[in-house]
C-alpha cells in the first residue's frame, strides 16, 4: 500500500485483521482513482467508522468515502444534493457519480470541508434547517428504523454468547418501547447521526459532511442523539445548552415543543437508550478487527448491563 506517512505508521501498530480491512478499503479507493484520474499514493485514513474516510492530500483538497455497498453511496450523493437544493451548508460531492469497486464496495469523492468545528451552535443550526424540510419533497427517503439492521454481524463477532444474548434482549426490549412511543412532532428529514451533526470549517465556509444517508423520521432522534453523550459519558462535554438554545431559536412560534428541553419528553429515555445501543453495536461490529476494539466492545456492553455506574468512561470519542 502506497499511503501517507500517518497511515503507514498506523498499519504497523494494528492487528492483521484491521490491516486487511484497511487494505481492502484502499484497494477500492485505488480502483476508483484509476477511473477519476486522482492519485491515491499519499492517501491518509481519517476514520473507519461509520465508513472509511480518506484524505487524498492537501494538494487535491478532496476526501473519499469508501462505502460497504452501492446503495449507501448513491443515497449519500442524493442526500447531499437534496440538502443543497434547500440551501443548507453541506459539503458537495467532488464528482456526482459513484465509483463501484470489485468487492461490492463503492467510493464517493467530496470537497474537503476543513476541520471539524467545536462550535455546537453550528451543529444545531444545520440540524434545525434540515428539520424544516418537508419530507414530502423527497418521496425517495427511506423510513428511519434504527432496528432494521441493528444486530447485523452480531453472530460473527468474537464475543461470548452471554454478551450476544444480552444485546439481543436489550434490542427486543427497546423495539417494544419504540413501537409505543408517542411522538410529539410529525415526520421530517432526519440526519440520523449518533451525536451532534458533524459540521466542518475550512476558514471560509462551514458545512455538514454527510457520513450516513438521510432518512424520513422524527426530529427527536437527532435531538436526543445530540444530548446523550453529555449526560452519560465522562470526559469533555459538548455545550448542549448552546445547542438547545440555538435549535429552538429556529423554531416557529406555532411549532415550539411542549417540553422545554428534549430530556423532559416522556419518550426521551427509550430513544436515548436506542441511540446508545446503536453506538455500542457500531463498536461490537468492529470487535473482530483487533484486541483493543474487542475489549472496548466488552466494556461498553458491561456498561449497558449495569456493571459500571453512569457516567461511563468510554475513552476517546
Amino acid at each position: 500500500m502506497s499511503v501517507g506517512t500517518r497511515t503507514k505508521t498506523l498499519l504497523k501498530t494494528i492487528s492483521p485483521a484491521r490491516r486487511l480491512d484497511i487494505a481492502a478499503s484502499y484497494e477500492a479507493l485505488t480502483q476508483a482513482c484509476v477511473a477519476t484520474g486522482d492519485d491515491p499514493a499519499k492517501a491518509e485514513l481519517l476514520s473507519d467508522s461509520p465508513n472509511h474516510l480518506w484524505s487524498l492530500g492537501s494538494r487535491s483538497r478532496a476526501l473519499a468515502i469508501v462505502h460497504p455497498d452501492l446503495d449507501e453511496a448513491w443515497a449519500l450523493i442524493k442526500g447531499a444534493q437534496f440538502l443543497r437544493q434547500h440551501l443548507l451548508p453541506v459539503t458537495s460531492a467532488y464528482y456526482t457519480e459513484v465509483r463501484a469497486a470489485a468487492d461490492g464496495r463503492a467510493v464517493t469523492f467530496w470537497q474537503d470541508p476543513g476541520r471539524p468545528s467545536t462550535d455546537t451552535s453550528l451543529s444545531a443550526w444545520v440540524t434545525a434547517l434540515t428539520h424544516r424540510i418537508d419530507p414530502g419533497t423527497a418521496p425517495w427517503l427511506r423510513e428511519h428504523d434504527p432496528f432494521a439492521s441493528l444486530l447485523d454481524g452480531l453472530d460473527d463477532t468474537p464475543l461470548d454468547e452471554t454478551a450476544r444474548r444480552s444485546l439481543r434482549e436489550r434490542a427486543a426490549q427497546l423495539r417494544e418501547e419504540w413501537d409505543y412511543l408517542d411522538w410529539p412532532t410529525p415526520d421530517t428529514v432526519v440526519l440520523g447521526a449518533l451525536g451532534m451533526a458533524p459540521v466542518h470549517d475550512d476558514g471560509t465556509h462551514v458545512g455538514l459532511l454527510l457520513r450516513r444517508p438521510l432518512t424520513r423520521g422524527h426530529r427527536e432522534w437527532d435531538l436526543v442523539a445530540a444530548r446523550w453523550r453529555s449526560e452519560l459519558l465522562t470526559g469533555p462535554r459538548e455545550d448542549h445548552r448552546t445547542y438547545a438554545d440555538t435549535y429552538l431559536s429556529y423554531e416557529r412560534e406555532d411549532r415550539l415543543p411542549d417540553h422545554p428541553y428534549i430530556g423532559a419528553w416522556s419518550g426521551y429515555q427509550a430513544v436515548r437508550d436506542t441511540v446508545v445501543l446503536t453506538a455500542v453495536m457500531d463498536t461490537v461490529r468492529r470487535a473482530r478487527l483487533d484486541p483493543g476494539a474487542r475489549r472496548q466492545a466488552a466494556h461498553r456492553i458491561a456498561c449497558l448491563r449495569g456493571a459500571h455506574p453512569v457516567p461511563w468512561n468510554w475513552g476517546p470519542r
Side-chain angles (χ1 to χ4, degrees):
M1 292 173 62
S2 177
V3 292
T5 54
R6 294 196 306 276
T7 304
K8 283 180 181 176
T9 302
L10 173 69
L11 292 171
K12 293 176 183 177
T13 61
I14 58 178
S15 69
R18 190 176 177 206
R19 209 157 40 235
L20 286 172
D21 186 56
I22 293 174
S25 173
Y26 182 73
E27 177 60 26
L29 174 63
T30 301
Q31 293 176 26
C33 285
V34 169
T36 63
D38 290 290
D39 182 7
K42 300 297 182 182
E44 297 281 12
L45 182 67
L46 303 180
S47 169
D48 55 0
S49 179
N51 37 38
H52 286 81
L53 178 67
W54 295 85
S55 167
L56 296 185
S58 57
R59 290 186 179 180
S60 70
R61 298 290 298 168
L63 301 179
I65 299 178
V66 179
H67 306 266
D69 57 61
L70 277 169
D71 288 344
E72 179 191 281
W74 279 115
L76 217 63
I77 292 275
K78 195 170 185 178
Q81 292 173 335
F82 174 71
L83 291 181
R84 288 190 71 82
Q85 289 169 2
H86 284 81
L87 305 180
L88 262 80
V90 61
T91 299
S92 297
Y94 216 89
Y95 308 111
T96 56
E97 296 180 359
V98 173
R99 307 293 172 175
D103 64 351
R105 302 187 195 213
V107 183
T108 55
F109 292 84
W110 304 84
Q111 296 176 8
D112 189 341
R115 295 184 177 183
S117 173
T118 58
D119 186 346
T120 60
S121 66
L122 295 178
S123 179
W125 170 53
V126 169
T127 303
L129 293 179
T130 302
H131 291 173
R132 283 184 165 205
I133 300 174
D134 178 4
T137 61
W140 44 269
L141 283 176
R142 292 185 178 181
E143 196 73 25
H144 178 234
D145 180 1
F147 299 93
S149 56
L150 179 60
L151 300 182
D152 283 3
L154 179 57
D155 291 335
D156 298 327
T157 61
L159 301 176
D160 59 46
E161 185 52 39
T162 300
R164 293 196 194 101
R165 183 171 61 251
S166 70
L167 290 171
R168 294 190 191 98
E169 291 173 351
R170 186 66 172 147
Q173 174 195 348
L174 290 172
R175 169 88 253 192
E176 184 175 357
E177 293 180 19
W178 180 276
D179 288 339
Y180 286 95
L181 282 173
D182 182 17
W183 298 99
T185 57
D187 280 3
T188 189
V189 179
V190 177
L191 293 169
L194 299 179
M196 292 187 184
V199 177
H200 295 246
D201 188 350
D202 64 4
T204 305
H205 304 97
V206 296
L208 169 71
L209 176 64
L210 282 183
R211 294 287 298 276
R212 298 175 186 266
L214 300 173
T215 54
R216 176 191 180 112
H218 294 279
R219 67 179 184 176
E220 283 73 26
W221 175 275
D222 287 342
L223 299 181
V224 171
R227 184 177 188 266
W228 77 269
R229 293 173 185 270
S230 63
E231 174 189 5
L232 296 183
L233 300 185
T234 60
R237 300 195 173 204
E238 296 93 344
D239 185 357
H240 189 266
R241 183 69 267 165
T242 299
Y243 178 98
D245 290 345
T246 303
Y247 181 89
L248 287 175
S249 72
Y250 282 87
E251 283 292 273
R252 299 197 310 260
E253 286 294 331
D254 61 336
R255 292 185 56 190
L256 288 175
D258 295 333
H259 41 273
Y261 66 101
I262 191 62
W265 173 45
S266 61
Y268 169 76
Q269 185 169 330
V271 176
R272 182 203 67 189
D273 291 350
T274 304
V275 173
V276 173
L277 182 59
T278 305
V280 170
M281 278 304 305
D282 278 358
T283 303
V284 166
R285 276 186 285 272
R286 293 166 48 80
R288 63 180 177 79
L289 296 179
D290 59 56
R294 191 177 310 141
R295 289 191 295 271
Q296 189 178 56
H299 172 67
R300 294 184 180 189
I301 293 170
C303 288
L304 291 185
R305 300 176 68 187
H308 305 283
V310 175
W312 303 316
N313 180 9
W314 276 11
R317 299 190 214 171

